[in-house]
Amino acid sequence: NEDDIRRKDIRIGDTVIVHRAGEVIPQVIGPVLSKRPPDAQPYSIPATCPTCGSPVVRPEGEAMSYCSGGIIVCPDQRWQWLQLYVSRGAMDVDRVGEKLLLTLMREGLVNDPADLYALTKEQLLPLERMAEKSAQNVLDSIEASKQRPLYRLIWGLNIRHVGEKAAQLLAAQFGSIDGVMAATEDDVNAIEGIGPTIAKSIVSYFANPQYREVIEKLRAAGVRLADEPGSGSEAVDGPLSGSSFVVTGRLARQTRSQIEAQIKALGGTVMDSVTKKTTYLIVGEDAGSKLAKAQKLGTRILDEDLFDRLAAGETLPEPEPAPEPEKPAKAKKPRAKKAKAAEPEAPVQATLSIEA
């Protein structure tokens, strides 16, 4: 976020103050000026990616700058993609860690997630610290990942703006990766909890022939690309049905994951970010930009007590309208005084004292 770096005047070599924002994210407050090196230089975003040389771009209306090479061209982005794909929340390939992934990339054995399913024991055994049993464990872990639910595959594809919650919504709506690939922006945008930015990103992703080729390689490897009916992706009818929620800040009685699970169990939809479609924002301590955006959009804001009442089926009272800012009092113009007619000057009386 170049604007934030400039606004806070953070320079190369600075010591910075960091605090915890929400439950997880560390936030940089600003530099410690007393510890700033005399030769500290302001930071500028490079014009090209230092890894692949692709131009660095900043999409209109966004705060972040990105390498335009994408996950197919840029090795660093591809590395991050593979880490996401094997992570516990996505395809959960638990025997393939960061070090092994890096080795597989360096050896030219894996360039995209689908390449994992083509690995053989003969390819793994020559690698450092890889014995017969460990190689078999790796292959078994990769094989087991073929049966993960659809939403975990969608999340693992590393589509920009698509996190776990958006992936769950897509899986529930379309039921298969083919359904997602065939969807238009209007189809995706019509899903409760997904806005136009995510819709555009999804359609753009699957318009790229290279990503479609990865999907076909996954299909050929036997990876599950559709959810079975009754797999748990169907909508739940409950007191929160038809409402979408975003949770932010540090909660007092539940973790964020617990309250999100409760929302889903009661029929609600959980979103990653606040949009015009968000019904409620549940806030804890240290709520940040999501709270500011909700206030700007007029989204209903709940604390934990109000959410508990809503989850119990209670109809919440309408929020009190925000007080209108006081209008500054208009300065009164001084009235021009009428000039009075000049009065004749009174004779000046003087007393003289004459001494002899």
Side-chain angles (χ1 to χ4, degrees):
N1 188 332
E2 188 173 15
D3 293 340
D4 199 47
I5 292 172
R6 294 190 183 283
R7 181 174 60 82
K8 294 174 180 176
D9 190 26
I10 299 170
R11 303 186 183 186
I12 298 171
D14 270 344
T15 299
V16 296
I17 301 170
V18 178
H19 83 160
R20 181 178 176 180
E23 289 191 343
V24 181
I25 303 170
Q27 181 181 12
V28 177
I29 303 301
V32 181
L33 296 179
S34 61
K35 295 187 176 183
R36 171 170 285 173
D39 58 347
Q41 297 296 316
Y43 177 76
S44 296
I45 300 290
T48 58
C49 173
T51 301
C52 71
S54 299
V56 171
V57 297
R58 179 176 173 178
E60 186 178 352
E62 295 192 23
M64 306 298 181
S65 299
Y66 302 90
C67 164
S68 60
I71 53 185
I72 298 294
V73 174
C74 183
D76 279 357
Q77 292 190 57
R78 190 159 62 247
W79 161 239
Q80 294 294 331
W81 181 19
L82 288 165
Q83 285 188 85
L84 171 64
Y85 187 87
V86 302
S87 67
R88 181 177 298 177
M91 299 299 276
D92 193 18
V93 190
D94 60 351
R95 295 290 181 171
V96 180
E98 290 185 9
K99 289 184 179 179
L100 179 55
L101 269 180
L102 194 57
T103 301
L104 293 170
M105 285 183 65
R106 286 174 177 168
E107 295 295 325
L109 297 173
V110 172
N111 287 305
D112 63 56
D115 289 338
L116 290 167
Y117 300 100
L119 289 172
T120 65
K121 188 178 292 187
E122 290 71 29
Q123 291 172 319
L124 294 175
L125 285 174
L127 303 180
E128 185 180 355
R129 302 180 66 181
M130 187 66 69
E132 180 85 19
K133 185 176 180 180
S134 54
Q136 189 58 53
N137 287 338
V138 168
L139 295 175
D140 290 344
S141 177
I142 293 171
E143 183 66 24
S145 73
K146 292 180 179 181
Q147 299 306 316
R148 304 293 182 230
L150 175 62
Y151 86 86
R152 294 172 74 170
L153 172 64
I154 295 172
W155 188 14
L157 291 176
N158 198 29
I159 305 169
R160 193 165 171 220
H161 301 304
V162 176
E164 180 183 11
K165 300 176 187 69
Q168 290 171 339
L169 295 174
L170 290 165
Q173 177 69 20
F174 298 111
S176 71
I177 200 69
D178 293 312
V180 179
M181 289 195 296
T184 65
E185 282 190 38
D186 288 341
D187 293 334
V188 179
N189 194 34
I191 301 172
E192 183 69 31
I194 290 184
T197 300
I198 295 177
K200 185 176 181 180
S201 179
I202 291 165
V203 173
S204 175
Y205 183 96
F206 288 112
N208 188 324
Q210 292 175 307
Y211 297 143
R212 284 183 171 263
E213 183 182 345
V214 172
I215 298 298
E216 293 312 311
K217 287 169 65 177
L218 291 170
R219 193 192 308 275
V223 176
R224 174 180 169 181
L225 302 181
D227 278 337
E228 298 295 330
S231 61
S233 60
E234 294 84 2
V236 176
D237 187 22
L240 304 184
S241 295
S243 297
S244 55
F245 296 79
V246 174
V247 184
T248 188
R250 196 166 59 251
L251 303 172
R253 296 194 293 272
Q254 298 187 74
T255 65
R256 191 176 302 178
S257 297
Q258 288 171 334
I259 204 167
E260 287 176 351
Q262 183 183 2
I263 291 167
K264 294 174 188 175
L266 296 174
T269 300
V270 179
M271 304 170 64
D272 288 305
S273 56
V274 177
T275 71
K276 292 179 181 178
K277 293 184 178 181
T278 307
T279 314
Y280 299 102
L281 175 68
I282 302 172
V283 298
E285 292 183 13
D286 298 324
S289 59
K290 291 179 182 177
L291 175 58
K293 188 169 184 181
Q295 291 170 332
K296 182 178 178 180
L297 294 175
T299 304
R300 181 74 187 270
I301 297 168
L302 307 178
D303 58 17
E304 286 185 83
D305 291 333
L306 281 174
F307 170 73
D308 287 343
R309 291 168 60 184
L310 185 69
E314 183 177 336
T315 301
L316 298 182
E318 290 296 320
E320 295 182 5
E324 294 184 5
E326 294 183 5
K327 295 181 180 179
K330 292 183 179 180
K332 293 183 179 179
K333 293 181 180 180
R335 293 181 180 178
K337 295 182 178 180
K338 293 181 180 180
K340 293 182 179 180
E343 295 181 0
E345 293 184 1
V348 178
Q349 294 182 358
T351 302
L352 299 177
S353 175
I354 300 175
E355 292 182 357

